[in-house]
């Protein structure tokens, strides 16, 4: 009689697991994440400008991008393009060029912030800005849309934009 009860309990557990398995598989995070929007889209991340340590002849600012949970990770490459600076809504006349390895690829997404450097020469006439707009680059080309970062900085002719790097 003991063997029959043990067999019956085991059989019931197997049947219950078989019935519940499809429902569990449908709610799997890995299944859901494949349909989540990309963290690289401008509307799906935030960016902040902060001061960074100076180097010989330059001020540096760090632009850190973060993506909240619920977005798929993506790959970014090189420096952002079309970087423009604004102060209280008015665009400055300063344009920036990229520097560094433009082929380096980083993974960006929830829990994986990335950053890039803004390098401003000390010896040029600097103007204040409180926002930067830019277009992100993927390994296979430009990501559609414009991203924005807020934070106080000073920019000047000769400002350079570094490539994306891992970390905040």
């Amino acid at each position: 009689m003991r063997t029959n009860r043990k067999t019956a309990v085991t059989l019931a557990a197997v049947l219950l697991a078989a019935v519940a398995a499809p429902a569990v598989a449908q709610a799997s995070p890995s299944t859901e994440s494949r349909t989540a929007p990309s963290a690289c889209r401008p509307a799906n991340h935030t960016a902040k400008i902060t001061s960074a340590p100076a180097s010989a002849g330059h001020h540096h600012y760090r632009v850190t991008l973060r993506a909240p949970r619920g977005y798929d990770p993506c790959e970014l490459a090189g420096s952002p393009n079309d970087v423009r600076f604004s102060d209280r809504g008015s665009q400055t006349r300063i344009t920036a060029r990229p520097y560094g390895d433009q082929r380096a690829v980083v993974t960006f997404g929830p829990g994986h912030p990335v950053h890039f450097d803004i390098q401003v020469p000390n010896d040029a006439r600097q103007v204040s800005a409180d926002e930067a707009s830019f277009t992100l680059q993927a390994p296979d080309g430009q990501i559609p849309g414009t991203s924005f970062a807020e934070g106080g900085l000073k920019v000047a002719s000769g400002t350079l934009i570094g490539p994306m790097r891992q970390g905040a």
Side-chain angles (χ1 to χ4, degrees), residues 149-167:
E150 294 183 352
L153 73 157
K154 292 190 180 258
V155 293
S157 279
T159 295
L160 299 174
I161 306 299
M164 285 291 175
R165 300 196 185 275
Q166 289 294 148

Side-chain angles (χ1 to χ4, degrees), residues 2-93:
R2 189 170 211 194
T3 306
N4 288 339
R5 258 191 234 169
K6 191 173 183 181
T7 305
V9 170
T10 303
L11 182 58
V14 169
L15 288 174
L16 184 58
V19 171
V24 171
Q26 288 176 346
S28 165
S30 62
T31 304
E32 288 177 353
S33 69
R34 291 182 190 171
T35 61
S38 171
C40 285
R41 294 282 186 193
N44 302 340
H45 60 259
T46 60
K48 184 176 180 179
I49 303 168
T50 56
S51 292
S55 64
H58 298 94
H59 289 297
H60 290 267
Y61 299 93
R62 177 177 277 197
V63 179
T64 303
L65 282 72
R66 296 182 187 276
R69 289 172 45 169
Y71 295 100
D72 268 351
C74 52
E75 291 185 328
L76 295 171
S79 302
N81 285 343
D82 304 321
V83 180
R84 308 250 186 252
F85 303 99
S86 299
D87 187 37
R88 291 181 244 158
S90 296
Q91 198 169 61
T92 69
R93 294 181 181 203

